[in-house]
Structures are given as C-alpha cells and as structure tokens.
Amino acid sequence: MVLAPSPPPGCPHTGPARRTVVQAAALAAAGLTAGLAPTAWAAEAPARPAAGPDAEPARRDTAPAPLPLRTDRESQGDILAGFRKDHACFLFLHFGDAVKARSWLTRLLPSISTTEEVARFNRAFSRARRLRGGIDPESMATLWTGIGLTHPGLRLLSGKEPFPAAPAGSSAEAFTQGSAARAQLLGDTGTSAPQSWLFGAEEPARAVHVVLTLAADQPERLATAVAEHRAAAAADGVTVLFRQDGATLPGELRGHEHFGFLDCISQPGVRGFDEPDPADASGVLGKPGTRLIPAGEFVVGPERVNKRPTGLPAWATGGAFQVVRRLAQDVPGWWTQVALRLSDLQRAGAAPADAGREWLGARLMGRWPGGMPVSLCPAAEQLPAPGKHPDAGLDYGQDPQGWGMPLFAHIRKGNPRGGLVLTPGRPPVAQAELDARRLMRRGIPYGPVYKPELGEEHGPQAERGLVFVCHQSDLVGQFELVMRKWVNDPDFPAGRNPRAGCDPVLGPDSAIAFETPSADGTGSRANTLHFGRFVRTEGSVYAFSPSLPVLRALAKGQLDASIEFHTGSVLRPGDVLDAGKARLTLDASGDLALLDAGGARTWRTYTGGVGRDAVLTQDGELLVRDADGGTVWSSGTGGHPGARLLLRPSGELVILAGTRVLWKASAS
C-alpha cells in the first residue's frame, strides 16, 4: 500500500510557498516583445513575499539603517532579491556560433532583472499587502529574467579561458570541471549518476552554455515570454537543449515541496540588504534567530566572513555562482518507507504507539509539515504565534545528542546552527564559520501533486520533484561542502557510535541512528533504521550569474580575467592569489611578494618579520600591517575611494582608479 502525505489533524498548512504577484492593469499589455523589451511593472509594485514566516515584517517608525545593496543596479536579481514567483521556466541553451551568441546576448540585456528592480517591487508588494490586511494585491504582477553562464558558455562568448589559473580545491576548478565531472564527490551515483541526467551531462559539442531563468505570476504571461525567447534564440542559432518548468503547488500544499513540508523557511539574512533588528544588530528585523551574514558570501566582491579573499577574476565581481539541479521525488515511496520505519520504532518502544507517520516524517525533515521545528513542539505540530518566525529560538547548542532535533534531520544536516562539534572534546564551531556555509536557495517544485484519486496524471508515475537553485560566492566552500561533508556524510557530526547517518530526505541509502534518552536519563539509546534513496538527481549544472557590466562586455567578446583583491578582504600569511603567470602571496614571515611563473620573487615589500596581513583600504591604499594594525608598508595611493587592485595574467599588479593606473609592480 502506498501512503500519500496529509496534514496532521488540526494543523492546516498555512504559510508562504511561492510568492504570487498579479499584473497591474496598466501593464497588462506590457511584457517581453519580440525584441526582448526590458522588464516593466507598475511603479513600486513589489515581488510577492510569502505569507507567514517569509513575509516582510512591518516597518518601524524610526529611520532604518542604510541598505545600499537594495539599490544595486548592476547585480542580477534573484541572488539577494528573490524572484519569488508562482511560475518559472528554466531554458538550458547551447550556442552554435560566438558572433551570433553575442548578438543574442546583446538583445537579451535590456530584459535582465536587477537587484534594485526586484527589491523595489518586492517591498512595494509587501507594503500593499499590509494595507490590504494580509490579502495579496491582485493588481500587481511582473516578469523577471535572469541568466547564468557555464564555463563553456563564458569561454565561447569571450574567446578565451575565463580563469588564468584553477588551483586545486578552488571554486575555479569546480566550476571549470562542471557538475557532471564532480558527481561522485556530490553523491550523484547509481540512479542519480550523470548517465541518466536530462541536462548537464551532454557531450562537449552540445554542452549547456546558458541557463535562462524566467519567472512570472501568471502562467499565460510566462508562456508568452518563453515562446518569444525560444524564437529569439532560434534566430541567432541558439539551441534549446532542455526546458524545465516549475510552479507553486496548489491548495493546502502552497509553499510546500512534494513530500508535504513547508519549504525555504530558513533563508539567511544579508548585511546591507536586510534591515537589522534594533534590539539585536546581528539579526534581521522581524525574524528572530535569522542572522545577518556578510553579503560577500552570496555575491562576489563585498566583504566575506573573516574577510577572506575570493581569489576570483575581476569578471566575477558583482556576480554569483549558481547551482541548478532537478531533484525527482518519489512521494509514495518515501512515505511508505516512513510508515515502515515508524513501525520499527514503535516495536522497539522508541516512538509513541499512537503516532502517525507525520510524527517520524517531521523528525526526518526536522519540521512539521506546517514549518515548526520538531524540537520546539515534539509531541504535535503547533502553528507559530502571529508575527513570530517559526525558527525564533531554534538552536542546537543544548541538544548535542539529537534528542530534540535528530542529528540526521534534514534541516540540521543542511544548517547545523549553534553547538556543532566537529571533533569530540573540542569546542563548538564558531557561528561565523557556519555563516560562511549558508546558501541562498531559490528552488521551486515541478510536476503535479501526488493525488492518485484525481487521475493518472497525479499518480506515482507522474514526474514531480524540486528544481533546486542556490546562489553563493564559493562553490566548494558552500554548496559542495554542505553536500559532501554534511548531507551525504554518515559520520557528520563526527564521533558518534553508532554514526548519525546521511540525510534521510536528500541523501543516499544510509543507516541512521535514532537516538532517545536512556531509561535512566543518563545517556542515549540508539535504534538503527535504514533509509533508501527516494530523491534522485536527474540533472545538474554549475553556472555563474555575472553582473550587468560584465554581461555587456561579454556581448562585445570582452572578459577581464585579472584576479581581483577586493576592498574589505585581508591577505594573511600563506594566502595566494594565482593569475597563472604571476602570484601574489604574503609569506609566513609577513613579506608581501609577487612571484613569476617559476616561483621567483620579482617584487616584494621587505616586511618579513613584521608584516601580519595585507589589505586594500576603502581609500584605495594597499597596506601591509603589523600585529598591532600599524602600517609597515604602503602603496601611497590613498585618496582614491573605489580604487581596485588587480593581478593581471600578464604578471602586473596594478591599482586602478577607473582606468587610470595609480600604482604598478611587475613579475616580468
């Protein structure tokens, strides 16, 4: 017998799913013309915030903190400002010719949505919704467009290798290799292996070059836009390799994924984009427990956690790595498995005799179907109090055994929060280190709801699942680390006997240890359960969403592959910026040096023994500092706010104010 998910009695599914927006009458005829016109919307009409925990909080009366990233007109939308639409389409494209590809990109450029556009629309929508007492303003809607380029796509458009060097273990290496080549590392094996993928594992002659994202409130408008984009692509010899549609689930499953759980609740806050809480400057206003994370974790260029340098080329500044994956969900198979494992626990006395399958399903996911964390209401689902975020107060620091939130739970595996101990006997991992692993998720379900009583198209054979999308500035340190070291590692967190197991929702076949307090309350009692894989990878692509200036340059066949050292970053002993023919490093003694391809020093600051780190100040000055923060060497280029430091593939290290060279050293 197959079991379909259903909401627990008395716990209706309420909350945000996909954030719908509806078109203003004045713009009913607006949209994408055959010439790919720019995005348009009613003035101040914002993108839909989800009702419930994802909704934007009411604004305070005092003047808000400056939020400069909300007015960014150069970075693409959906990275920091989510598209949040009920309907989406992803077109995976292949270029046939570089000249025609640049022509296609030139015509596409006016329609690409910016962070400023999307953020302004979203905020206006939220304001209108509050004025209507929480009812969506049905007179507001728009269409958003975004573009991600793969490594082959960047190489074809620019006519050269995008990375002057791809050091082992770097995001440059991962991006160059692509998702299919790294399938083994990510757990994409067996039924999830690239041989069975629908996109992302094509032969080089038919490689994916572009992921074009279209998102709208109305399916009719989206369909029109898709048809126009397909026609425009065909006119320039661009082939559509695969089309992936997505849509918010209807009715009581709105905002949920196909297993029946509310999705995308715990998104990171972004410093400089989200308004800080005046009572807690480290948190987001109206979302207790949501930390503000440096924007450089999601967009290349701004300051990152611990001020780490990116080591990426200048063309990456203002953009983000994009991961797009098609994850097929076997809904009846997963719930049947949950029911069987619940029976095992009940026979062992580790689960209440009257518990339903949602009791165990909630512990596997980490949340009840309506979104509340199981550790905050273990007996049965409770809806959050009005105006209170479901994750307010959620922390695992006092739950090292996983009695409240199982160590294998999907939300704990993907975001361990406080209290994570990597090595038994050592202190917990600093929260800032965990902040550096967060992902900006923008997924959407695809396929019909599993309801066999509605007909064959809603039955077990229908294709359904999640289009997983996430943005980050570090492919290896964020998405790949979460998948390899957390989700798919049965020994995470380390040192447990028996091991915690892999993520039973997203991970591979695995035994998990279901731990409960021992009879005397002094230790743990573990029941080992086996969970098979019921989520399969059916496609995966690594892309990059460049800034608008970089896209305009690519449309002319230009790409600056110089390695950029950003303002706000700190170069520490052992750090290396690698531009292929030249490397910039701060050695163990504190000497900042430029090395040629053979490793010989061609320029140095002679700060060995006193130098502790190197920075580029907001004023445009390159400094080597001592342990007390004092300057022991300077480029003497202060007074130039916005200056950039580039390590060119030719071997030159330059500080630029616009195009003017302020200072230069050479490895030649």
Side-chain angles (χ1 to χ4, degrees):
M1 179 176 67
V2 293
L3 301 173
S6 60
C11 296
H13 292 313
T14 58
R18 193 85 313 229
R19 319 50 170 143
T20 315
V21 268
V22 193
Q23 179 167 5
L27 294 169
L32 221 56
T33 65
L36 303 182
T39 303
W41 65 89
E44 298 270 341
R48 170 166 213 209
D54 206 28
E56 197 169 319
R59 293 282 156 255
R60 57 187 180 187
D61 294 330
T62 56
L67 302 173
L69 294 176
R70 284 187 172 269
T71 58
D72 183 358
R73 298 182 178 181
E74 296 191 342
S75 65
Q76 291 193 53
D78 206 38
I79 301 172
L80 299 183
F83 286 168
R84 306 196 307 196
K85 299 300 182 190
D86 278 340
H87 305 277
C89 178
F90 303 85
L91 296 177
F92 298 85
L93 308 177
H94 173 80
F95 295 137
D97 174 83
V99 174
K100 289 184 177 180
R102 293 170 192 144
S103 175
W104 171 84
L105 180 57
T106 299
R107 281 192 283 274
L108 177 73
L109 280 168
S111 69
I112 296 175
S113 308
T114 67
T115 296
E116 187 272 339
E117 289 176 314
V118 179
R120 176 158 50 93
F121 185 92
N122 288 357
R123 178 160 289 200
F125 187 96
S126 297
R127 184 164 56 246
R129 192 173 188 274
R130 288 196 302 273
L131 292 174
R132 291 169 58 89
I135 300 173
D136 290 347
E138 295 187 356
S139 62
M140 301 173 69
T142 192
L143 169 78
W144 298 132
T145 304
I147 180 175
L149 297 168
T150 64
H151 179 264
L154 283 166
R155 188 172 54 199
L156 183 141
L157 284 168
S158 65
K160 64 181 182 182
E161 170 54 48
F163 297 99
S170 68
S171 287
E173 179 189 53
F175 184 71
T176 300
Q177 291 177 350
S179 188
R182 299 175 74 82
Q184 190 79 24
L185 293 173
L186 299 174
D188 289 331
T189 58
T191 57
S192 290
Q195 292 84 343
S196 61
W197 288 2
L198 298 171
F199 60 83
E202 297 83 0
E203 293 297 320
R206 285 179 54 81
V208 173
H209 289 144
V210 176
V211 180
L212 184 66
T213 302
L214 304 170
D217 308 294
Q218 302 154 329
E220 300 82 7
R221 184 170 185 183
L222 179 62
T224 298
V226 171
E228 290 169 346
H229 275 287
R230 292 184 73 120
D236 282 314
V238 180
T239 303
V240 178
L241 298 176
F242 190 77
R243 170 180 174 171
Q244 177 63 62
D245 293 315
T248 300
L249 299 184
E252 66 181 11
L253 286 178
R254 176 174 179 73
H256 298 62
E257 47 73 48
H258 279 286
F259 289 148
F261 294 86
L262 196 61
D263 198 18
C264 283
I265 295 175
S266 180
Q267 290 279 50
V270 180
R271 195 175 300 160
F273 183 85
D274 292 301
E275 192 168 343
D277 188 334
D280 177 11
S282 67
V284 177
L285 178 66
K287 295 183 179 180
T290 300
R291 291 174 54 82
L292 283 170
I293 294 173
E297 297 304 325
F298 310 106
V299 177
V300 176
E303 183 178 316
R304 303 173 71 196
V305 170
N306 296 329
K307 304 181 184 295
R308 308 180 324 275
T310 68
L312 293 170
W315 59 258
T317 298
F321 289 104
Q322 179 190 39
V323 178
V324 183
R325 291 164 69 81
R326 172 174 158 132
L327 303 178
Q329 294 176 260
D330 179 356
V331 176
W334 192 78
W335 279 103
T336 297
Q337 176 175 236
V338 171
L340 293 172
R341 299 293 84 81
L342 175 62
S343 296
D344 295 341
L345 289 176
Q346 289 171 327
R347 284 192 295 271
D354 60 348
R357 64 184 185 274
E358 290 85 3
W359 184 91
L360 179 55
R363 282 153 175 79
L364 301 178
M365 187 67 70
R367 298 186 187 279
W368 293 96
M372 280 296 289
V374 69
S375 58
L376 300 183
C377 48
E381 173 145 33
Q382 300 172 7
L383 296 182
K388 185 174 182 180
H389 194 274
D391 287 354
L394 181 61
D395 185 86
Y396 310 138
Q398 303 304 313
D399 185 22
Q401 310 293 338
W403 296 344
M405 178 68 69
L407 299 175
F408 54 73
H410 175 68
I411 69 169
R412 187 164 184 170
K413 278 279 197 174
N415 181 14
R417 299 180 182 263
L420 173 64
V421 175
L422 291 180
T423 304
R426 300 295 299 275
V429 175
Q431 183 62 57
E433 176 63 22
L434 297 177
D435 289 345
R437 311 304 174 191
R438 297 301 305 276
L439 310 174
M440 193 64 74
R441 295 171 294 136
R442 303 298 185 197
I444 187 170
Y446 72 87
V449 171
Y450 177 72
K451 284 191 175 181
E453 64 273 18
L454 297 180
E456 185 177 343
E457 65 274 17
H458 290 272
Q461 301 306 315
E463 295 183 351
R464 62 177 58 86
L466 180 74
V467 185
F468 173 88
V469 180
C470 71
H471 301 280
Q472 58 271 294
S473 65
D474 185 350
L475 263 181
V476 171
Q478 289 170 277
F479 170 72
E480 288 200 345
L481 182 143
V482 169
M483 291 300 297
R484 294 175 55 199
K485 300 294 187 180
W486 295 357
V487 169
N488 292 332
D489 187 351
D491 197 26
F492 176 81
R496 308 295 299 178
N497 185 21
R499 299 188 300 179
C502 300
D503 179 345
V505 176
L506 193 59
D509 291 6
S510 171
I512 65 171
F514 189 92
E515 295 192 41
T516 54
S518 61
D520 59 7
T522 61
S524 277
R525 178 179 66 158
N527 287 272
T528 300
L529 306 174
H530 185 272
F531 277 85
R533 186 172 206 155
F534 289 90
V535 175
R536 302 184 320 279
T537 304
E538 294 188 338
S540 183
V541 163
Y542 284 169
F544 192 89
S545 301
S547 69
L548 272 294
V550 171
L551 287 171
R552 286 190 284 268
L554 279 168
K556 300 175 184 178
Q558 302 168 0
L559 192 71
D560 188 352
S562 303
I563 301 300
E564 182 161 9
F565 182 59
H566 299 99
T567 300
S569 296
V570 176
L571 203 65
R572 298 181 174 89
D575 287 344
V576 178
L577 302 182
D578 193 344
K581 293 183 179 179
R583 288 174 291 153
L584 180 68
T585 183
L586 188 71
D587 67 20
S589 73
D591 196 17
L592 184 65
L594 192 60
L595 313 178
D596 64 17
R601 298 189 182 208
T602 59
W603 171 87
R604 59 192 295 188
T605 57
Y606 294 95
T607 53
V610 292
R612 178 61 61 91
D613 61 31
V615 299
L616 180 66
T617 69
Q618 298 286 343
D619 208 32
E621 190 170 18
L622 177 62
L623 304 177
V624 177
R625 305 181 301 191
D626 61 20
D628 297 322
T631 300
V632 295
W633 180 89
S634 167
S635 63
T637 53
H640 296 88
R644 304 171 69 198
L645 176 62
L646 302 178
L647 178 59
R648 290 173 168 164
S650 63
E652 288 184 332
L653 180 66
V654 298
I655 299 177
L656 301 176
T659 58
R660 183 163 63 96
V661 176
L662 302 176
W663 177 90
K664 179 174 70 173
S666 177
S668 62

